[in-house]
Amino acid sequence: MKRSHQWTVLVTAAALLSGCSGHQDSAEDKSQTAAERPSTDPKSTPPSAPALPEGMLRLGSSFPFREVGQSDSWTVRVSALSSAKPSAKATSIPHGWRALTTKVTFTNTDSGIAELHGSLDVTARYGPEGRTAAAFTDTGIKGLTFPDIETHPIRVRPGGTHTTTVGYAVPASTAGQPLTITIEGDNPTYLEGAIPGPRPAPSTPHTFSPSTPPRS
């Protein structure tokens, strides 16, 4: 009788242990499955940048470049726009406009020394109407006006780079609007990015409180 009772206890314990193990494995499987499943929370999905028109690159992209009438080949990268604080030496910034800068980096892709010649035509337009941004210079912001090749050419070794900073000015109310930069070469290249900075707060209509009628 005692032996039969012990056997019953052992069988019951084994069943309980098996049930606990199965429950634990099931919970772990569900937890792992939930971890592997992509989140559908819209807050966890990074916002995607708006699509650009066909043939236009985003600021920060690299592209092949060759000056008109020259044989040297380059890869050019134009960085995203950054806000700048102009110094007292800044020129050509209209009153009340914001200063922006972008870095343009030329990388020599030839097997020999390459040279940058003269000036490059680089323009910028802002907003949906494509108004022309003002170009400015400042300390450390020289733009893309290079010395004449016959006097002081800019020579870059194979695989080397030359970087220059370009300054643009736009109205203060244009934060968040697109700015398109055009670089002329054998084939013009168009790049676009958003103007940095906080967007101006929408104006709220002023409400007038009724005046207190005069006492009789």
Side-chain angles (χ1 to χ4, degrees):
M1 186 69 178
K2 183 185 292 185
R3 185 173 299 174
S4 175
H5 178 70
Q6 291 176 345
W7 178 255
T8 303
V9 172
L10 289 174
V11 171
T12 303
L16 289 173
L17 289 174
S18 176
C20 292
S21 176
H23 177 74
Q24 182 177 2
D25 293 342
S26 176
E28 291 178 354
D29 292 342
K30 290 180 180 179
S31 176
Q32 183 175 3
T33 303
E36 294 174 353
R37 187 183 303 119
S39 174
T40 57
D41 184 359
K43 295 181 180 179
S44 64
T45 305
S48 57
L52 295 178
E54 184 178 357
M56 186 174 293
L57 302 176
R58 195 172 302 281
L59 286 177
S61 303
S62 298
F63 56 93
F65 175 80
R66 191 186 300 271
E67 289 184 80
V68 176
Q70 305 296 332
S71 60
D72 295 334
S73 59
W74 307 84
T75 294
V76 176
R77 182 181 184 275
V78 184
S79 70
L81 297 166
S82 299
S83 299
K85 185 176 181 180
S87 70
K89 296 182 179 181
T91 61
S92 304
I93 300 180
H95 178 71
W97 284 33
R98 297 180 50 213
L100 307 172
T101 60
T102 180
K103 292 184 180 297
V104 182
T105 300
F106 295 83
T107 302
N108 178 11
T109 56
D110 277 347
S111 58
I113 293 177
E115 296 178 335
L116 288 169
H117 307 100
S119 300
L120 298 177
D121 186 12
V122 179
T123 57
R125 297 182 180 277
Y126 66 88
E129 297 179 356
R131 300 180 184 276
T132 303
F136 74 93
T137 59
D138 200 350
T139 303
I141 304 175
K142 298 181 179 179
L144 289 170
T145 302
F146 300 134
D148 185 78
I149 185 175
E150 296 181 358
T151 55
H152 301 286
I154 295 178
R155 295 188 174 95
V156 181
R157 60 179 176 79
T161 62
H162 175 79
T163 299
T164 184
T165 301
V166 183
Y168 294 111
V170 295
S173 61
T174 57
Q177 295 185 12
L179 184 138
T180 303
I181 294 177
T182 303
I183 298 184
E184 300 288 348
D186 276 353
N187 294 306
T189 302
Y190 306 93
L191 304 103
E192 185 174 294
I195 297 174
R199 299 191 181 189
S203 58
T204 56
H206 183 71
T207 57
F208 295 91
S209 58
S211 59
T212 303
R215 295 181 180 179
S216 58

